[in-house]
Every structure is written in C-alpha cells, then in structure tokens.
C-alpha cells in the first residue's frame, strides 16, 4: 500500500512539473516577453547594445514609430536621446529607431514599442570598455602632471622671450590634448551609464511577399525592355564573331582538300 502511495505521489509531481513547463513554453512563444534590465556588475565597464525586431501590421508602423520617438523625446522612461530614425513606405514598409536610454528605461521602452505586436528577434551584446577607460585615465593623469610642470616653469622670472614663447606653445598643445582626453572619457562614461537600443519595425512575412509580387509585376515592362535590349546587343556582338568563324572554317576545309 505504501509503495502504491509513493508511486502516486511521484506521478503527481511529474505531472505538475510538466504542466508548469508547458505553461512557461506557451508564454515564451507568445508576443512581447518582458526581460529583466541588463545592468553593469559592480565596477563593470560594459557598454550594452540591444537590437529588437518588432513584427506588426504595415499600416501600424508609422504610428508606432512616432509613439516610440515621442516616448524617448519626452523622457517617459527616463533620460533618452534619439540617435537615428528611418522610415520606408511603398511595397516594403519598414522603420527603425535608434536611441540611447538609461538602463531602467530599456525594458519599458521596448515593451511599449512591442505592445500588441510580436518580437521577431532580439539580440543583446556588450563591449568591455575597461581597457579603454583605464588607458584614458592614465593619459589624463600624465597630461595633467605635464601641464602642472609647464605652469611651474612659466612662473620663473629668468626665462628668455624665446623660451616663454616655446613654453606657451607646448602648454597650449598639452591643454588641447587634455581636453580631448576628457571628452573621450566622458563619452566612455556616457556609453557605460546608458544603453543603445535599436528598434526595427517590420510587417509580417506574408505582407512582404505580397509587396514583392506587386513590385515584380510593376517592373515587368522595364525588365522586358531591358532583356530585349540586351538580346539585341548580344546578336549585334555575335554577328561579326560568326562571320570570322565562318571564314576560318572555310579556309581550314579548303586547306584540307588541297592537302588530300
């Protein structure tokens, strides 16, 4: 009896696990699935980039692009900057939007853009900027120390005019290099503190296929004209070649008759 109860309990547990796994699989196979925000680990120097393909009806692409652009511009999900926008209509409607946004706003921003649509694909990658940040810090430190030494020399009273001019020029060069290094360091910090998100809005595959058929029918006349023109050119090119071959064959046959 105890053995039967144990077997029944094991079977119930297996069935429960299977139902939970099936429910999770159905959830993952649906439309937009929210993911946890990707963050830098403690002390990390990673620059994250996300590429998301959102599949929705072609007629809804312009409005969805506009809404996503407005959400970024108004800072709905935190500090956000629009980097690039492109839109294409006609038989191949599609659009793309690239923004740079704070980590906490990445997932809400993507979720709004994909609301009621399907996420065709999503890729996340990170570039490790630790080496670049470290090299930049060392460069800034070296330039700052060199500038301080030049400023100390500039305070001396016994410098000749030529030395003062050369010192001023050297100091200006160091100041320019230090400013450029600081700007590069700020750019590294900005890439680490924010994340780049690119949204690609595309129609379902069936709509793209119908657009290609319409475009092919629309190009039928032009394709026929181009093919006819190439055929005429090919015939015009082959006529003199054929004449030369005919003459060569005739001469060969005549030479063989004389030899025989």
């Amino acid at each position: 009896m105890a053995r039967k109860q144990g077997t029944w309990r094991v079977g119930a547990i297996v069935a429960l696990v299977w139902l939970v796994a099936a429910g999770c699989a159905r959830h993952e196979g649906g439309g937009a699935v929210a993911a946890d925000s990707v963050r830098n680990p403690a002390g990390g120097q990673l620059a994250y980039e996300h590429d998301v393909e959102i599949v929705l009806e072609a007629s809804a692409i312009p409005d969805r692009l506009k809404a996503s652009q407005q959400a970024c511009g108004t800072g709905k999900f935190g500090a956000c900057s629009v980097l690039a926008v492109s839109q294409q209509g006609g038989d191949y409607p599609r659009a793309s939007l690239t923004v740079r946004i704070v980590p906490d706003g990445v997932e809400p921003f993507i979720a709004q853009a994909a609301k009621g649509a399907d996420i065709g694909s999503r890729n996340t990658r990170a570039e490790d900027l630790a080496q670049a940040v470290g090299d930049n810090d060392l460069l800034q430190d070296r330039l700052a120390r060199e500038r301080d030494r030049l400023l100390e020399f500039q305070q001396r009273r016994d410098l000749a005019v030529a030395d003062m001019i050369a010192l001023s020029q050297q100091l200006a060069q160091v100041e320019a290099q230090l400013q450029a290094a600081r700007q590069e360091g700020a750019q590294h910090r900005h890439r680490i503190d924010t994340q780049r998100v690119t949204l690609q809005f595309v129609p379902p595959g069936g709509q793209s296929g119908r657009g290609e058929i319409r475009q092919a029918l629309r190009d039928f006349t032009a394709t026929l004209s181009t093919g006819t023109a190439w055929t005429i050119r090919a015939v015009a090119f082959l006529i003199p070649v054929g004449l030369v071959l005919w003459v060569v064959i005739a001469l060969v046959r005549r030479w063989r008759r004389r030899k025989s």
Side-chain angles (χ1 to χ4, degrees), residues 178-191:
L178 181 59
Q179 182 64 24
R182 287 174 175 172
Q183 291 178 354
E184 184 179 2
Q187 183 65 23
H188 290 158
R189 192 72 258 166
H190 184 58
R191 292 183 60 192

Side-chain angles (χ1 to χ4, degrees), residues 92-177:
Y92 304 96
R94 59 183 58 244
S96 68
L97 174 65
T98 301
V99 304
R100 185 166 288 282
I101 189 170
V102 292
D104 289 339
V106 171
E107 297 308 327
F109 178 72
I110 295 175
Q112 175 186 282
K115 185 177 181 180
D118 292 327
I119 292 184
S121 64
R122 175 170 179 172
N123 299 309
T124 299
R125 59 186 178 276
E127 181 183 355
D128 191 356
L129 298 179
Q131 183 66 41
V133 171
D135 292 343
N136 183 267
D137 290 342
L138 292 176
L139 177 61
Q140 289 190 46
D141 183 66
R142 180 180 65 80
L143 291 173
R145 286 187 281 105
E146 184 176 352
R147 180 199 58 185
D148 293 341
R149 287 196 301 269
L150 291 174
L151 288 174
E152 291 177 0
F153 278 116
Q154 199 175 38
Q155 301 301 322
R156 294 179 57 174
R157 302 278 184 174
D158 57 344
L159 290 178
V161 175
D163 294 335
M164 287 290 296
I165 294 175
L167 189 61
S168 298
Q169 293 177 346
Q170 183 66 22
L171 183 60
Q173 293 179 3
V174 172
E175 287 283 1
Q177 293 175 6

Side-chain angles (χ1 to χ4, degrees), residues 8-23:
W8 180 85
R9 289 177 181 174
V10 173
I13 293 173
V14 172
L16 180 61
V17 172
W18 183 86
L19 289 174
V20 172

